[in-house]
Amino acid sequence: NVCGGPCQVTTNAAVAKVDGVELDAQIQPADNFQIRLALNYLDARYDVFIPTPGVDLGGRPLARSPKWSWNAGVNYTLPVGEGKVVADASIRSRSRYDLTDLANYAYFFQPAHTKTDLSLTYSAPDDRFYVGAFVENLENDLIVTSAGTGGFGAVTFSDPRTIGVRAGFKF
């Protein structure tokens, strides 16, 4: 470890190639109903990257760059008197991706995963106040967001299933 202890190392990767295609759509089949769709293909890799003599990362995928990802969501707004209730559901999926600890030249990966979020919110007339309930990461999957080795090795995960309420007001 070039720091002698826990630290963040930023390294210039020299040359990388990033190719991809992204398709997005928003469809509104009715006044109060919306559908969101997205599909992404990504081919992100180091072209030339020799961070230290004898270590060649050329051809390896860039960290946190899934080949495939997609999102889908629906949103329905129901008028209630002068206010409204909004129901929203979204699901997103990512294919496997690498997590590289460049300071120690260690390779980890996050398996493919799917994450679903749901919410139901009431908004008063003119959005003066709102109150809602939500569930995030319905699947309760542990998703690795970073990983490192060394004397102070660590793994960071995304939040587990989270259930809660939100409220707010304008003033």
Side-chain angles (χ1 to χ4, degrees), residues 81-140:
E82 295 291 316
K84 62 185 173 189
V85 172
V86 178
D88 192 86
S90 64
I91 185 169
R92 61 182 178 251
S93 182
R94 307 285 181 262
S95 63
R96 171 190 155 141
Y97 55 85
D98 283 13
L99 296 158
T100 307
D101 176 2
L102 292 175
N104 297 295
Y105 311 114
Y107 307 103
F108 304 92
F109 71 89
Q110 167 59 50
H113 62 277
T114 300
K115 182 175 180 271
T116 304
D117 298 333
L118 306 170
S119 68
L120 186 65
T121 305
Y122 170 76
S123 293
D126 299 320
D127 293 323
R128 288 189 314 265
F129 70 88
Y130 68 90
V131 62
F134 66 90
V135 177
E136 296 175 346
N137 190 6
L138 185 63
E139 297 82 0
N140 200 28

Side-chain angles (χ1 to χ4, degrees), residues 63-85:
R64 297 178 189 84
S65 300
K67 252 312 165 207
W68 290 98
S69 60
W70 60 266
N71 303 319
V74 294
N75 181 287
Y76 183 74
T77 302
L78 176 66
V80 176
E82 295 291 316
K84 62 185 173 189
V85 172

